Amino acid sequence: MTARIRPMRESDLARILDIEASCFPTPWTRGMFVDELAQDASRYWVVADSPWGLLGYAGLMIVEDVGHVMNMAVRDEARGLGLGTSLLSALVDEAEARGLRRLTLEARPSNAAAIALYRSAGFCEAGLRRGYYADSGEDGLVMWTGDFAAPEAVAAARRMRERSRAALEGVRLKRTVPDGDSTSHGDLLLAIETSCDETAASVLCDGREILSSVVASQVDFHRRFGGVVPEIASRKHVEAIVGVVDEALEVAGVGMSDLTALAVTHGPGLVGALVVGLAYAKGLAAATGLPLVGVNHLEGHLFANVLADETVEPPLVALLVSGGHTSLVHVPAWGEYHTLGSTLDDAAGEAFDKVAKALGLGYPGGPVLSKLAAEGDPGAIRFPRAMLHSNNYDFSLSGLKTAVVTYLASERRAGREVDPRDLAASFQAAVIDVQVAKSVRAAKACGVTTFCLGGGVAANAALREALRVALAEEGVRLSVPPLALCTDNAAMIAAAAHFRLWRGETIGLSADAFPDLGLS
Ligand code: KG4
Ligand code: ZN
C-alpha cells in the first residue's frame, strides 16, 4: 500500500477534524481550516492520503520570504512510519519552488517526538516564546531551517525527499510486524474462508496483489438438497481445508515462514462451518507465532472492491447482497459502518435460490436464473416491488418469492405454459428495481460519489448494469468487483484483514466464531 501527498480539500475536513481532536488539547475548528483553505497563495496545505483514508496533514503560511508551519498532525495508527517527514518534505519543496528563504515553526518543548522529527528534517532551535501555548502556559520552542540558498539546506531537502518517498511507498503493517527480516516482497497474508459452502484460502501481497486464490466449492454436495446443509458444509470444510491452504501457499510460491500474518473469517455465517476455518487458523497461529486477524465476511465482500480498484475510497455507500445478507451500508471511512437498511426476511441470493428451486432449476439459483433472464422479457409478468415506496432502506423479498410460486402454480393449474425465461426475467426485474431505487436514494441522501456493490448477487450482470446507469445519472461512480471476487473467496478476506492488521487488530487463540456478526 502506498500513500501520497496531495493538496488539502474541503471534503477532507471531517477526517482532519477527527485527527486534530485526537492529537491536540486545543484542536483547530472547522471554521479555522475553512478560512485557511479560502486564503490566496499565502497558504499551502497538504494531506497524506492512502487507500485507508487520510493519515495526516500539514500547512504553511507564507509571509514575505519565510514559510511558517502552521499545523501538522499524523493519525495515531500511522505514527512512526515516516509520514511526518513526508509532509514536511512537501512543505520544504513548496518553499524552495517559491524561492522562500527558510521555514519556521513552534513546537511544545515537552513534545520530544515532534522536536526530534523537526531536527531530522533540518530544523534547529532559534529561541523560546514565553507562555506561547494558552492551554498549558507552556513556552513555544521556535525552530527554523537553514537558508535554502545554502548548499547544506539543498542537500538536506534532497535527503528528505528520498526518505519521504520511501515512507510513502512503505505505508503498511509496520506497527504490528517486527522489523528485521528484509525479504524482498511486501507483507504476505494467508487468509482462510469457511463461512458457508466454499472452502477458500488466499495469499495476498501488500493488501493488493493476489498471489493465489483457491476456492473449493461444495455446491455439488448441497445441490441434491436444494440448498446448503450445515452438517455437510462442516464435514466438507474439514475434508478440504488442509489441501486448499496448501494449494494456496504452493500457487503463491511461498512457505509459512514467509508470511506476515494469518487471517480467517470469524463471522457471520454457519457456526459449524466458521469454526472449521477458525480452528485451523488458530492451529497455524499457535504453530508459527504469526498474528491472527479475525475478519467480518461482509467487510470482506466490501473490500473485494478495493482489490479490483485501488482508488475506491470512502465516503461511499455499499450494497452487500449475498445468499445470507442484503444490506445498504454507509461507509464514511474504512472501518466505520452505518447500516442504513437490510432485508426484513429473505436475502437477495436466497430469493434467487428459492425461486430456482420452485422452478426445478437446482442450487444455487442465481447463476442459472440470471442466464435464463437474459433471454426473457422483464415486462412479461408484473410481480410486486415490495417496499419500493417505503420511507426507509429496508427490503422484503419473501413476498416476491411467494408471488412467483403462486403465479407458477395458478398458470399450471390453468394448463398454461410458462416460459421460464420470461418468469426469470420478470422476477429478476422486480428484485433489481427495488435494489436500484433504494441504492440511488441512499447514495443521494449520504451525499457520496462512490458506490460499491459486493456479495454473490453482485455477480448478476443485469443488477450491475441497472445500478451503473441509475447511479451515473446522479453523478455517482459504481465499483463492482470482477465475478471471481463477488462470490465467496479468501482474497477479499485477506484484503479486509490487511486493513485490520494495519490498525493493530488481531484476535487471540481463544477467539470464538460469531454466526450473527454485524458490520459496525
Ligand atoms: O456471497 P456468496 O457467494 O455467499 C454468501 O455469503 O452467501 O453469495 C451466494 C449467493 C447465492 O444465493 C447465489 O444464488 C447468489 O449469490 N448468486 C447470484 C448470482 N451468482 C450468485 N444471484 C443472482 N445472480 C447471479 N448471477
Ligand atoms: Zn459471501
Side-chain angles (χ1 to χ4, degrees):
M1 281 299 151
T2 54
R4 67 197 163 107
I5 304 289
R6 61 158 174 82
M8 185 185 287
R9 304 189 278 256
E10 196 159 335
S11 58
D12 297 326
L13 290 185
R15 300 307 295 163
I16 285 174
L17 292 176
D18 274 353
I19 300 174
E20 183 78 10
S22 71
C23 289
F24 301 114
T26 44
W28 280 31
T29 61
R30 186 184 173 85
M32 291 162 84
F33 280 104
V34 171
D35 265 4
E36 283 294 309
L37 292 179
Q39 302 283 330
D40 53 13
S42 70
R43 299 294 196 281
Y44 181 69
W45 284 88
V46 288
V47 298
D49 200 0
S50 78
W52 313 129
L54 281 196
L55 303 177
Y57 50 91
L60 209 56
M61 175 172 73
I62 294 129
V63 182
E64 293 176 355
D65 58 354
V66 174
H68 188 79
V69 181
M70 304 272 282
N71 192 344
M72 179 166 130
V74 173
R75 203 166 108 185
D76 189 39
E77 302 95 314
R79 301 252 171 88
L81 301 177
L83 289 175
T85 302
S86 300
L87 288 163
L88 278 176
S89 177
L91 299 187
V92 168
D93 283 352
E94 179 71 11
E96 280 194 318
R98 292 192 188 206
L100 302 186
R101 195 158 50 84
R102 63 165 31 125
L103 291 186
T104 71
L105 54 79
E106 280 99 21
R108 285 176 196 261
S110 59
N111 192 347
I115 291 170
L117 167 69
Y118 300 141
R119 278 209 189 103
S120 78
F123 285 79
C124 55
E125 280 124 65
L128 279 181
R129 289 217 166 116
R130 295 281 165 215
Y132 178 76
Y133 290 101
D135 51 52
S136 61
E138 227 180 322
D139 297 335
L141 175 63
V142 180
M143 299 182 81
W144 62 24
T145 61
D147 197 316
F148 286 136
E152 309 85 72
V154 175
R158 196 189 56 240
R159 279 197 303 278
M160 261 176 85
R161 216 169 292 133
E162 278 158 20
R163 276 166 43 213
S164 165
R165 193 172 330 115
L168 294 173
E169 280 170 7
V171 169
R172 48 190 191 221
L173 316 173
K174 295 210 178 98
R175 293 209 103 208
T176 42
V177 180
D179 287 340
D181 102 7
S182 54
T183 38
S184 57
H185 48 62
D187 309 298
L188 288 177
L189 259 82
L190 167 68
I192 296 173
E193 150 69 41
T194 64
S195 68
C196 189
D197 61 347
E198 333 271 1
T199 317
S202 167
V203 177
L204 190 70
C205 181
D206 274 349
R208 257 204 73 65
E209 193 189 343
I210 303 172
L211 300 187
S212 64
S213 179
V214 178
V215 180
S217 176
Q218 311 174 350
V219 284
D220 289 343
F221 299 99
H222 299 287
R223 191 166 279 137
R224 72 188 92 148
F225 304 101
V228 178
V229 183
E231 289 75 10
I232 294 181
S234 308
R235 181 123 45 88
K236 291 292 162 195
H237 284 312
V238 171
E239 286 170 18
I241 193 154
V242 177
V244 166
V245 169
D246 284 353
E247 193 183 332
L249 289 170
E250 199 182 311
V251 172
V254 302
M256 274 290 172
S257 58
D258 300 318
L259 297 176
T260 310
L262 301 163
V264 63
T265 306
H266 64 163
L270 302 167
V271 68
L274 288 165
V275 294
V276 177
L278 191 61
Y280 195 71
K282 286 198 280 191
L284 291 178
T288 57
L290 288 169
L292 176 62
V293 182
V295 177
N296 183 312
H297 183 82
L298 295 172
E299 192 172 45
H301 276 305
L302 175 61
F303 270 78
N305 286 275
V306 183
L307 276 180
D309 178 357
E310 196 179 14
T311 66
V312 168
E313 257 184 71
L316 57 87
V317 169
L319 175 65
L320 301 176
V321 273
S322 70
H325 293 88
T326 300
S327 302
L328 262 172
V329 187
H330 178 212
V331 184
W334 292 125
E336 239 177 80
Y337 304 114
H338 306 295
T339 300
L340 303 168
S342 36
T343 181
L344 303 176
D345 36 58
D346 291 351
E350 194 178 355
F352 273 89
D353 295 339
K354 287 180 173 171
V355 166
K357 193 174 178 180
L359 286 171
L361 295 172
Y363 170 85
V368 50
L369 271 183
S370 56
K371 217 173 277 160
L372 276 178
E375 295 168 10
D377 172 10
I381 311 152
R382 183 75 197 165
F383 287 125
R385 268 77 171 148
M387 309 193 63
L388 180 59
H389 302 293
S390 72
N391 227 349
N392 57 27
Y393 298 106
D394 288 332
F395 303 89
S396 169
L397 286 143
S398 74
L400 172 59
K401 170 206 65 193
T402 310
V404 174
V405 173
T406 313
Y407 173 84
L408 199 60
S410 77
E411 290 298 291
R412 280 180 182 156
R413 255 199 318 276
R416 282 191 290 266
E417 236 354 79
V418 175
D419 187 335
R421 294 169 301 186
D422 287 345
L423 188 82
S426 302
F427 156 76
Q428 183 176 274
V431 176
I432 291 176
D433 277 359
V434 184
Q435 308 240 328
V436 169
K438 298 217 171 188
S439 297
V440 170
R441 195 149 56 78
K444 277 166 73 176
C446 294
V448 299
T449 52
T450 301
F451 192 98
C452 288
L453 187 59
V457 184
N460 188 289
L463 172 63
R464 295 156 80 106
E465 184 54 16
L467 251 185
R468 193 187 60 73
V469 170
L471 287 167
E473 276 170 20
E474 302 296 334
V476 178
R477 173 176 78 127
L478 173 68
S479 157
V480 215
L483 292 192
L485 293 175
C486 287
T487 46
D488 286 351
N489 65 88
M492 67 182 196
I493 302 301
H498 179 82
F499 164 65
R500 292 285 163 190
L501 184 58
W502 189 80
R503 304 219 309 191
E505 295 175 20
T506 55
I507 58 173
L509 295 182
S510 57
D512 243 328
F514 303 101
D516 300 319
L517 187 64
L519 261 187
S520 60

